[in-house]
Amino acid sequence: MPRSPILFLDVDGPLLPYGAAAPRFPSGGAPADPLRDDPAPDPYLDRLDPAHGPRLLALPCDLVWATAWTTDANEYLAPRLGLPQLPVVDWPEPTAEDLWSGLHWKTRALVDWAAGRAFAWVDDEITDNDRAWVAAHHPGPALLHRVDPSLGLTDTDFATLDAWLRAPGVRM
């Protein structure tokens, strides 16, 4: 049976866009549970588009949080998006080589986590260094998709991801 590809999902930038022009969704900033006393950890949760949850779930992949939010993504974001609890990548400290070479601090960990499976990585900080390193060190298909952090995920981004995830050879 073919294995679904992984979609590694960053939060700040793709789901929580930056900038004055970023759209606002007041229901995205509402507490996930109105009986909770603790405030949300980010004042920009009103930038979270609740329509992204169903669109992410419709993609033919296994969703994984790949964010500095770590487990807080499941607590504060998943309920607002209508997502189930997702696996979370644990981040090691960046190596001296990563810092020297300009490799993103997530890149090695995502390749290790994928363990040869096809994956797409959605982030606003992906560079050509990351693409080259993944191409040289990951045996399976990989799409490193940079999202404009001032816009967050757009219809075009979803179309690109959907087409790549459904492409022949991506399901292994």
Side-chain angles (χ1 to χ4, degrees):
M1 175 142 191
R3 293 181 74 185
S4 294
I6 300 165
L7 175 58
F8 290 118
L9 186 60
D10 183 35
V11 170
D12 295 316
L15 292 175
L16 294 177
Y18 306 126
R24 301 288 199 268
F25 303 90
S27 62
D33 178 350
L35 301 176
R36 292 174 59 126
D37 292 331
D38 60 329
D42 192 309
Y44 298 109
L45 283 177
D46 65 347
R47 296 176 182 191
L48 188 67
D49 183 347
H52 284 344
R55 292 185 80 177
L56 289 165
L57 288 173
L59 294 172
C61 61
D62 295 330
L63 298 171
V64 175
W65 291 120
T67 173
W69 282 66
T70 64
T71 58
D72 283 347
N74 277 325
E75 183 174 351
Y76 294 101
L77 302 174
R80 289 174 169 86
L81 292 168
L83 296 175
Q85 299 289 293
L86 302 177
V88 177
V89 177
D90 289 320
W91 303 115
E93 291 297 318
T95 67
E97 181 183 347
D98 293 345
L99 298 173
W100 175 81
S101 69
L103 197 62
H104 193 286
W105 57 272
K106 295 179 183 177
T107 306
R108 285 180 197 268
L110 296 180
V111 168
D112 288 347
W113 209 97
R117 279 176 71 185
F119 74 87
W121 172 22
V122 174
D123 204 302
D124 61 310
E125 297 179 344
I126 294 169
T127 67
D128 288 340
N129 286 345
D130 302 304
R131 288 184 181 90
W133 195 91
V134 170
H137 294 90
H138 181 65
L143 171 68
L144 279 64
H145 184 73
R146 186 183 178 282
V147 172
D148 182 336
S150 67
L151 300 174
L153 283 168
T154 65
D155 291 343
T156 301
D157 296 314
F158 276 104
T160 298
L161 291 167
D162 189 61
W164 187 85
L165 292 165
R166 293 181 192 280
V170 171
R171 297 178 81 75
M172 303 185 295

